[in-house]
Amino acid sequence: MSLEVSDLDVHYGRTRALRRVSLSVAPGQTLGVIGETGSGKSTLARAVVGLVRPSAGRITVDGEEVTRYRARQWRALRRRGVVQYVFQDPLRSLDPDVTVEDSIVEPLLIQGRPRREAADRARRLAARVHLDEELLSRLPGELSGGQRQRVTVARALVTDPRVVILDEPVSALDAANRVRALELLKQLRDAGTALVFISHDLGSVAGVADRIAVLYQGGIVEEGPARTVVNAPRHPYARLLVGSAPTLRSAAADRAQREELRELLQNIGGPA
Ligand SMILES: Nc1ncnc2c1ncn2[C@@H]1O[C@H](COP(=O)(O)OP(=O)(O)OP(=O)(O)O)[C@@H](O)[C@H]1O
C-alpha cells in the first residue's frame, strides 16, 4: 500500500476532529473522501502530510511508518517528494514573492537537482497542466484563481510523488479546466501514484475515484467501491449525499426523502 491510515484520532484541544479513521490506498488507486464542511476532511489531509499531530493511530507512507515523526523528519519526507499535497487555497500555499517557475522548481532544487534540468522539467509540467509558458515568470498575484491552482498542481507533481493528497483540487476551476485537471489525475493514476481526492461534492469525486470513503463528524461511516457507494449507499448520511447530487442518479431522492434521512441522522447521532 502507498498510504495506510489506521485508527487515526486528531484532537484540537478538546475537539475530536477525527475519530478512529482507517483507510488505505494502493499504488495507482484513487480514494475519494467526501464529507460536508467541518467533517474533518482538511484535518485528515493535514495529518497525512504531517501538518497536524495525531493523538492516536498509525500512518504509513510508501511502507514507512511516519506517525511519530518529528516536524524535521516530516519536512525531510516532504522534501524527498514522496508525499505531496494540493490545498484548497492556492494563494496560501504559494509564496507571493516567488515567480511561478521558481515555485515549481523549488522542490527539485531542494533535492539538489541542477537548475537547468529543474527548469526544463518545470516547463514540461506547466505544459501538462495547460499553463502558458509566458506565465512562468509571473508572481502568483498576477494569475487567475484557476491558473494559480494549476501552479500548485504542477508543483506537487514535479517530484513524481508516490502519494498525492488533493484537497478540493478542482473547486476554483471552470468546466474546461476541470476536465483537464481530471484528465491529469487519470494520467497520474496510470503512472502508479496513489491519490486521495478530498471534496464536499460527491459528483466531482464519483467520476475519478475507485473507492469512496464518506466522512461524517470526524468518522468514516461508509467506505467501498465508488459504484457501490453511489448506487447503493447504506449509511443515511451517504444516502443523503447521493440524493443531493441529482446528476449522479436518475432516481435522485426527492425532497421528502431527504427530509426523512436528515431526521434519521439526527436520531442516530454521530459516529461512535
Ligand atoms: N486549528 C484548529 N483548531 C481548532 N479546531 C479546529 C482547527 N481546525 C479545524 N478545527 C475543527 O475541526 C473540525 C474539522 O475541521 P476540518 O477543517 O478538518 O473540516 P473540513 O471537513 O475540512 O471542513 P471544510 O470543508 O469547511 O474545509 C471542525 O469542527 C473544525 O472547527
Side-chain angles (χ1 to χ4, degrees):
M1 287 290 165
S2 297
L3 175 68
E4 266 190 289
V5 170
S6 47
D7 290 330
L8 196 71
D9 266 28
V10 172
H11 285 84
Y12 296 110
R14 297 175 67 138
T15 308
R16 192 177 178 194
L18 290 184
R19 34 186 92 222
R20 304 203 62 161
V21 167
S22 297
L23 50 88
S24 57
V25 196
Q29 206 184 51
T30 301
L31 173 75
V33 177
I34 52 163
E36 64 194 349
T37 178
S39 58
K41 303 182 299 294
S42 297
T43 301
L44 177 61
R46 293 169 69 77
V48 298
V49 297
L51 297 176
V52 293
R53 217 175 155 70
S55 33
R58 251 168 77 104
I59 304 170
T60 310
V61 177
D62 203 27
E64 196 170 331
E65 230 251 72
V66 297
T67 327
R68 300 279 155 243
Y69 270 16
R70 294 168 183 281
R72 183 175 40 83
Q73 290 170 297
W74 269 111
R75 267 200 300 280
L77 185 78
R78 290 194 295 264
R79 277 184 188 165
R80 270 174 30 223
V82 179
V83 52
Q84 293 283 13
Y85 53 89
V86 178
F87 281 138
Q88 273 176 24
D89 178 1
L91 259 190
R92 262 198 324 188
S93 51
L94 294 171
D95 186 329
D97 299 320
V98 172
T99 64
V100 169
E101 175 167 330
D102 285 349
S103 255
I104 300 177
V105 298
E106 192 193 15
L108 295 175
L109 298 181
I110 290 172
Q111 286 183 346
R113 309 259 200 107
R115 172 94 209 182
R116 223 161 122 193
E117 181 199 313
D120 280 351
R121 184 151 169 76
R123 263 189 288 277
R124 279 203 303 276
L125 261 175
R128 250 176 92 186
V129 298
H130 302 275
L131 266 181
D132 280 346
E133 211 171 313
E134 62 166 65
L135 300 182
L136 289 173
S137 55
R138 294 209 196 156
L139 294 171
E142 298 163 346
L143 301 178
S144 74
Q147 288 166 339
R148 276 198 290 267
Q149 204 158 28
R150 279 178 274 152
V151 174
T152 60
V153 172
R155 183 183 153 95
L157 304 187
V158 79
T159 56
D160 287 327
R162 305 307 307 147
V163 179
V164 177
I165 317 292
L166 300 138
D167 192 357
E168 304 273 6
V170 295
S171 55
L173 301 181
D174 61 24
N177 280 318
R178 197 173 300 163
V179 169
R180 285 185 189 142
L182 296 179
E183 276 166 12
L184 184 74
L185 296 189
K186 286 190 176 143
Q187 284 176 23
L188 270 176
R189 189 163 58 173
D190 293 345
T193 310
L195 294 172
V196 181
F197 188 153
I198 296 177
S199 178
H200 65 278
D201 174 29
L202 178 59
S204 65
V205 166
V208 282
D210 303 296
R211 301 182 70 82
I212 291 180
V214 179
L215 199 57
Y216 178 62
Q217 296 184 0
I220 290 180
V221 292
E222 180 147 350
E223 200 271 344
R227 201 172 296 168
T228 311
V229 174
V230 170
N231 292 321
R234 283 166 317 187
H235 189 275
Y237 179 64
R239 279 158 54 202
L240 190 65
L241 284 180
V242 171
S244 314
T247 47
L248 280 178
R249 303 178 70 194
S250 47
D254 64 15
R255 209 163 145 229
Q257 215 177 335
R258 287 210 292 271
E259 286 305 318
E260 207 177 292
L261 288 168
R262 277 209 181 90
E263 214 165 281
L264 183 61
L265 273 171
Q266 260 161 16
N267 291 337
I268 62 169

